[in-house]
Amino acid sequence: MNTTPGAPADGAKTPYFGRGIRRQEDRRLLLGRGRYVADIKLPGQAEMAVVRSPFAHARIRAIRVRSARAHPGVYCVITGRDIAETLKPLPALDLQPSAKPAFSRVLAGDVVRYVGEAIAAVVAVDRYTAEDAAELVEVDYEPLPALLSLEAALAPGAIHLYPDFGTNVVQTFAQEAGDVDQALATADRVYREKFSIHRYTGIPMETRGVLADADPNTGTVTLWTSTQFPHRVRDCVTEVLGWPAGRLRVIAPDVGGGFGVKEAIYGEEVLAPLLATRLGRPVRWIEDRAEHFVASCHGREQDHEVVAAVRHDGVITALESVCATNIGAAFATFSNAPGYYVSAMIRGPYRIPHYRSKVLSVVTNKTPLNVYRGAGHPQAVFCMERLLDRIADDLGLDRAEIRLRNMLTPAELPADRAVTLGARPNSRVIYDSGDYPRCLRQAVALLDYPHFRREQLAARNAGRYLGIGLSFYVEATAFGPYEFSELWVDARGAITLFTGSSPHGQGTATTHAQLVADELGVKVDAITVVHGDTGVVKEGIGTWGSRSGAVGGTAARLAAVKLKEAARDLARRLLPARDEELEWTEGRIHLRSDSQRGYSLAELAAASAGGGRADAPSPGLLKAEVRFQVPGVAYAYAAHIAIVEVEIATGRVLVRRYGVAHDCGRVINPRIVGGQIVGGVAQGIGGTILEELRYDADGRMLTRGLMDYLMPSAADIPPIELVHLETPTPHNPYGIKGAGEGGMTGAPGALVGAIEDALKPFGVRINDDGPFTPSRVLALVGKAARPQRAPKASA
């Protein structure tokens, strides 16, 4: 008998793992049957509106709420001063012990530090009344100078957003491997570059929303919230409120996208339960799009300084990196993580034995920054890949060749990188498995890189400017510490999987069902997947960091393995039979010698109530649960290659072709993995060419809606050409790595490399990631020299 987890039990075939079946959850959503927070309406429900600061930095002299409280239909008005003594600050979960306490507050107290910071909340009979009453709240502000840029915040003599700190640097993290100083002193060449990453964000289709309902009989509260991690929301919100965790049930219903924006704990998630309890009625708040731009966490913004020691043949022997992250006015839940990942992952797949890194978290008068799809990996990759392009061009090397000369080979894996992923325990970076050179060669072949160079020369002679860009990343995925799954089979044969994964578009219900169906030998549509409810799923970590398939999926299948063991044990007693006499076929266990003598899962569940054994599960139910502890981070990787055309007359950047060769370990569902990659590339194209969160000189947000914040349409995204490679990870029994963020991780580096390559005849050098709007491109070209015809090809 084969009992190895992940292998087909009893020699059965595995019909679902690796098959691109359609997502099981999509039909309901496409037919408009989704149930989001805004769709939930409870009897007696009240609506909440939030009063927000119009100033980036100001002292609050007074707040007058009498008129608002007297407005017809208003139930309650609450200010920061009303709750200052009773509520803790919002949590920051990735701090170093030496970090300054720049915590976000549920409602501002004496000082506001960004436009959109919440000052007061109004609860009324409906949203219209709440909004009208919110306008009656009078706030007496004393404007203060605003700091917006990293440069300004770090400048000598800059004001301090938190005067008691004496600095705007609220956390520092450093690590080192090898002897960087010696490598720089003996280098053939030393390269120094500065790179900047602009501020943009996820823009999920569904904005944030919360609804809280208190039970007056039990004192418990149910909170519906659009979140990526309901169990963590429960734990953090009850900590802020000073409640026991068991008092709050958190439900994440359908969630219309997250991308890291909803991987944070927000003040509204605290206010709604608090006010529902006080008022004895349900309280709901739904964020509008203008609020979303100022009140939901932003992403990306960083400045980088890198120094590289390089041999004459292009091999990099040492790298020094200093990264400053503009975290905005206060810590969000994971403001520091992007810096950690830059520090850990900027070397990517490249050997670079000597390395030193320092990352700074800097406060400014902007909306707090959190993780955004890729969480620091895109920034790290952008800087490394741009640096490689610089070195290649200077040394006259092909851009693909310089990458191959520096890449770790399969023989060098696993590779201990002698650094950690920051604040995470047991987070030493050890690349587990892969073939990086093969992956790069696959990408180069995908878009016929040598042929493109010939086409590029001909196009330039005809007045068209084409460029090609390469980017390679290694990404930390499948984070722990664990994930939970519980599997039930009842006497009717209904199979229900409860998972701690909490999806917001990943197709988790399908991939988890595929893994369970394979193990049990049943059809995938026989399995119901339940998630996102702390009242029925005992525990869980949630969905972020490219972990759902690798960690949540592994827990789901291991629960199926455990349930089969319980079923086999019960069948052995009922038949009776020895273990070696039994065989499992298509959800049924029977004698090898007589397939008619056996039991289905439903029959075994029914029999469990009848004394098949003294310690049988609860009546009429077979159950198994697993808490899969992650032994190590799995490192996915990919090569991206982009071909763009830049219209010199208009400044438009057109992405003509895009290819990705990637390895996320064993692929559960290539249709879903492909969708994740394509979606990520689309976001990367948007962030590089169109998207930007813009402020005026006083810190007021100029981006107020989707008329101001340009997002890519289908017309902006070419067909994405994909190659799947599969190198299993040893960190779970099924060899699965993460795939959710890689499409975005590699895109900025490849696209900017291609844009610069297209503009090479103009002498353009690009050290930032955009956005490359028509006006920006025209400005770049306008500053450049007159182009040469038929330039010499260089990679």
Side-chain angles (χ1 to χ4, degrees), residues 67-78:
S67 296
R69 284 177 174 157
H71 189 71
V74 170
Y75 297 125
C76 174
V77 180
I78 189 171

Side-chain angles (χ1 to χ4, degrees), residues 497-511:
L497 172 70
F498 301 88
T499 174
S501 298
S502 187
H504 43 281
Q506 288 82 357
T508 297
T510 300
T511 54

Side-chain angles (χ1 to χ4, degrees), residues 603-617:
E603 290 168 331
L604 290 170
S608 71
R613 62 182 187 188
D615 60 343

Side-chain angles (χ1 to χ4, degrees), residues 13 48 52 76 81 86 140 207 217 417 446 471 498 670:
K13 295 181 180 179
M48 181 170 72
R52 302 189 182 278
C76 174
R81 294 174 183 180
T86 58
D140 184 5
T207 56
N217 297 313
R417 306 296 275 163
L446 194 62
S471 176
F498 301 88

Side-chain angles (χ1 to χ4, degrees), residues 463 465 645-654 656 689 759 762 772-782:
Y465 293 89
E645 179 173 358
V646 179
E647 293 182 343
I648 299 302
T650 67
R652 289 180 65 204
V653 175
L654 305 172
R656 295 300 190 192
I689 295 175
L759 298 177
F762 297 88
F772 293 93
T773 59
S775 59
R776 172 76 195 287
V777 172
L778 289 173
L780 286 172
V781 174

Side-chain angles (χ1 to χ4, degrees), residues 114 238-239 253 306 322 325 384 457 469 496 550 562 603 712 729 772:
Y114 64 96
T238 52
E239 175 69 19
V306 295
V322 178
T325 303
M384 190 71 238
L457 287 174
T496 305
K562 193 172 180 180
E603 290 168 331
T729 178
F772 293 93

Side-chain angles (χ1 to χ4, degrees), residues 502-752:
S502 187
H504 43 281
Q506 288 82 357
T508 297
T510 300
T511 54
H512 284 26
Q514 286 180 259
L515 292 166
V516 171
D518 271 359
E519 193 63 46
L520 298 183
V522 300
K523 292 184 178 179
V524 72
D525 56 8
I527 298 162
T528 299
V529 179
V530 177
H531 54 76
D533 186 341
T534 66
V536 296
V537 181
K538 289 199 295 188
E539 55 181 318
I541 300 297
T543 295
W544 46 270
S546 300
R547 69 186 305 276
S548 290
V551 185
T554 294
R557 185 152 182 177
L558 289 176
V561 171
K562 193 172 180 180
L563 186 134
K564 283 176 64 178
E565 292 171 355
R568 180 181 288 273
D569 183 55
L570 183 56
R572 190 174 59 246
R573 296 168 185 268
L574 291 171
L575 280 168
R578 295 188 302 275
D579 194 62
E580 62 269 20
E581 295 176 310
L582 299 177
E583 184 172 318
W584 188 281
T585 306
E586 296 182 353
R588 186 173 178 273
I589 194 164
H590 58 85
L591 292 174
R592 290 181 184 274
S593 59
D594 183 358
S595 62
Q596 299 303 308
R597 290 187 61 197
Y599 297 93
S600 68
L601 280 170
E603 290 168 331
L604 290 170
S608 71
R613 62 182 187 188
D615 60 343
S618 56
L621 194 67
L622 282 175
K623 297 172 64 175
E625 65 178 54
V626 165
R627 199 175 194 256
F628 171 58
Q629 295 285 155
V630 177
V633 172
Y635 290 89
Y637 59 93
H640 286 224
I641 184 165
I643 292 174
V644 306
E645 179 173 358
V646 179
E647 293 182 343
I648 299 302
T650 67
R652 289 180 65 204
V653 175
L654 305 172
V655 184
R656 295 300 190 192
R657 293 184 68 187
Y658 202 102
V660 179
H662 77 103
D663 189 337
C664 58
R666 291 189 65 200
V667 176
I668 303 169
N669 185 317
R671 183 192 295 265
I672 288 177
V673 169
Q676 288 290 310
I677 293 171
V678 169
V681 170
Q683 278 188 294
I685 291 172
T688 304
I689 295 175
L690 300 170
E691 300 177 37
E692 183 179 24
L693 292 165
R694 298 176 61 241
Y695 288 82
D696 70 10
D698 295 319
R700 288 185 290 263
M701 177 69 76
L702 298 175
T703 311
R704 299 290 294 174
L706 294 178
M707 292 293 288
D708 306 312
Y709 191 91
L710 301 180
M711 297 183 69
S713 70
D716 299 303
I717 312 300
I720 311 299
E721 301 169 57
L722 301 177
V723 173
H724 295 282
L725 291 79
E726 290 190 336
T727 308
T729 178
H731 294 316
N732 62 70
Y734 311 112
I736 308 163
K737 301 179 181 182
E741 298 166 284
M744 192 165 196
T745 296
L751 290 164
V752 175

